[in-house]
Amino acid sequence: RPASTSSIIAKNPGRSNRCVANGISEEIANELFDVMTDFAKYAFNKSHAAAYAVVSYQTAWLKYHYPLEYLCALFNNKEQKEYEPLIEDCNMYGIKLLKPDINFSSYEFIIENGAIRYGFKGITGIGNMVENVMDTISKKREVKKYNSIQDFLYRNIQEQNGKSKLIDKKIVETFIEAGLFDTFYQNRAKVVEQVDSFYNAINNVTATEDLQKSINRLIINDAYKSVSDNIKKDIECLGTMLSENPLDDYKEEKFYGCIPINEIKESKKISIYGFVISVEEKTSAKGNKYFLLNILGKSGKCKVYVMNRSYDNYKSRIFTYENKVIKITGASNGSIMYGNYITLLNPYTQEYFMHLKTVEDTKKAMAIINNRDKNGYIPVYINCSWLIKNNEFYEAEKPIICIVTF
């Protein structure tokens, strides 16, 4: 750790003598030492800089010429919380990230037919736990692919110290929630519920034969797929949506008059769109209630605060936006966005604009607006030059913009 300037000067009181002798004041000399000391906190020599340059060139070359192999290696050397920019790079290069599968995934991310297969190590909460049983799981499926949860449990009974047991319940349930058994079942929540009951029932069974008999009696009743639940579990377990992506049908942000989430910057008016992961009602330190929306867009995630008047406007219906794609218009300070206007977004909807220049146009528009279906989701931006007061129209000093949904 670099010593402070004062301690350097204290230990070397004559350090500034040469400066003073050359016509530089002692005050300026000490300022120079301050600059040198601050720079020394991150300064390094030419050989160090050259090594960094070589490594930078090598990684840039690998990413350009071998993006598939390069990104796969990065997934295996990053934590899940650092996957987001890698997923963006996959999208940019047209590399598909395949969901984890009990018959195809390995502990690490692997290349599979020009795509990257999600590895067990990237699943939240079980990375280290599953590493210990990965060899057994892989060897069993090399002989024959698994065809059900019962088959998976039966062939992976573990024996230790004369007793037998199943693979840890947390691993199995997380596998289900992360979609590893989606090939066989549609409703993850229902399957987890039944597996949990099964494990509780055989909690004290330790004989291999008895465990096999119990597994043979296990019947998994499936149900219709819950897209919203699958999306929620994907985000919880994988950090992103792989099995279901409601944004696949949506075009680029500019098509809807929005900017990418990863380009949010300070602005008095800004629009984004994305999938609502969750809606939470919170209370500020001053006792004011507000909503916090967690949004997942095509280019990243962000949090949106709905406060004050906007809180009052949306409190009766904001929870209906959960697990849906919405467009949000509001202000941003660069890192935080505040939502003022929220609407459901149809993937094929573009924005519409209307400029009411005359009283006649304004009257016609008012008649249409008053008779519209108020549950619409298509936003129309109206530039109003005429306003009404005491049942009489008057021209505004400057046009007022309002938003109406149809």
Side-chain angles (χ1 to χ4, degrees), residues 38 47 50 57 89 104 117 128 138 157 176 190 197 203 207 216 229 231 237 244 268 283 309 314 326 373 381:
D38 287 338
S47 63
Y57 175 82
D89 279 350
F104 298 103
R117 174 70 70 178
N128 294 329
S138 298
I157 294 176
I176 298 168
K190 189 172 181 62
S197 298
N203 189 41
N216 287 333
D229 182 66
I231 291 171
C237 299
E244 312 282 347
K268 291 183 179 179
T283 305
R309 184 181 297 177
Y314 290 100
I326 62 172
D373 179 359
Y381 291 78

Side-chain angles (χ1 to χ4, degrees), residues 49-98:
Y52 265 101
V54 170
V55 172
S56 298
Y57 175 82
Q58 289 172 335
T59 52
W61 187 90
L62 287 170
K63 185 175 182 179
Y64 181 81
H65 291 283
Y66 299 96
L68 178 62
E69 293 81 359
Y70 178 80
L71 289 171
C72 186
L74 281 184
F75 275 114
N76 286 322
N77 287 277
K78 298 284 187 180
E79 299 291 329
Q80 191 201 85
K81 61 185 178 182
E82 301 172 291
Y83 287 173
E84 196 169 297
L86 304 183
I87 294 171
E88 290 176 22
D89 279 350
C90 285
N91 293 333
M92 182 178 70
Y93 284 102
I95 297 171
K96 190 171 183 180
L97 184 59
L98 304 174

Side-chain angles (χ1 to χ4, degrees), residues 64-213:
Y64 181 81
H65 291 283
Y66 299 96
L68 178 62
E69 293 81 359
Y70 178 80
L71 289 171
C72 186
L74 281 184
F75 275 114
N76 286 322
N77 287 277
K78 298 284 187 180
E79 299 291 329
Q80 191 201 85
K81 61 185 178 182
E82 301 172 291
Y83 287 173
E84 196 169 297
L86 304 183
I87 294 171
E88 290 176 22
D89 279 350
C90 285
N91 293 333
M92 182 178 70
Y93 284 102
I95 297 171
K96 190 171 183 180
L97 184 59
L98 304 174
K99 57 184 282 189
D101 187 288
I102 195 61
N103 280 321
F104 298 103
S105 289
S106 299
Y107 177 70
E108 293 195 329
F109 288 69
I110 59 172
I111 295 173
E112 181 183 316
N113 298 325
I116 297 175
R117 174 70 70 178
Y118 201 98
F120 292 161
K121 67 174 294 180
I123 301 174
T124 300
I126 62 166
N128 294 329
M129 293 173 63
V130 76
E131 188 174 11
N132 299 325
V133 296
M134 192 63 235
D135 285 344
T136 304
I137 294 174
S138 298
K139 287 177 182 177
K140 299 287 185 181
R141 75 185 184 195
E142 284 176 7
V143 178
K144 181 185 175 183
K145 299 293 186 187
Y146 299 113
N147 56 43
S148 66
I149 288 179
Q150 295 94 320
D151 183 41
F152 174 76
L153 294 175
Y154 193 100
R155 293 162 61 188
N156 286 285
I157 294 176
Q158 303 166 320
E159 294 187 19
Q160 188 176 15
N161 299 325
K163 294 183 179 180
S164 298
K165 65 175 183 177
L166 301 181
I167 286 181
D168 190 280
K169 182 173 78 168
K170 179 176 173 57
I171 293 177
V172 177
E173 291 185 347
T174 306
F175 276 3
I176 298 168
E177 291 176 339
L180 274 76
F181 292 99
D182 279 1
T183 305
F184 316 124
Y185 311 100
Q186 296 189 75
N187 193 301
R188 299 180 192 174
K190 189 172 181 62
V191 175
V192 167
E193 182 183 323
Q194 294 171 83
V195 168
D196 180 64
S197 298
F198 172 73
Y199 266 83
N200 292 335
I202 54 97
N203 189 41
N204 297 318
V205 179
T206 58
T208 300
E209 187 177 346
D210 292 337
L211 284 173
Q212 291 172 338
K213 289 179 180 178

Side-chain angles (χ1 to χ4, degrees), residues 312-326:
D312 295 329
N313 291 340
Y314 290 100
K315 64 182 180 182
S316 64
R317 64 183 186 277
I318 197 162
F319 286 99
T320 64
Y321 296 142
E322 199 165 22
N323 298 320
K324 292 183 175 66
V325 178
I326 62 172

Side-chain angles (χ1 to χ4, degrees), residues 325-344:
V325 178
I326 62 172
K327 177 179 177 179
I328 306 169
T329 300
S332 170
N333 64 6
S335 58
I336 297 175
M337 182 168 178
Y338 301 91
N340 298 325
Y341 180 78
I342 305 171
T343 182
L344 292 172

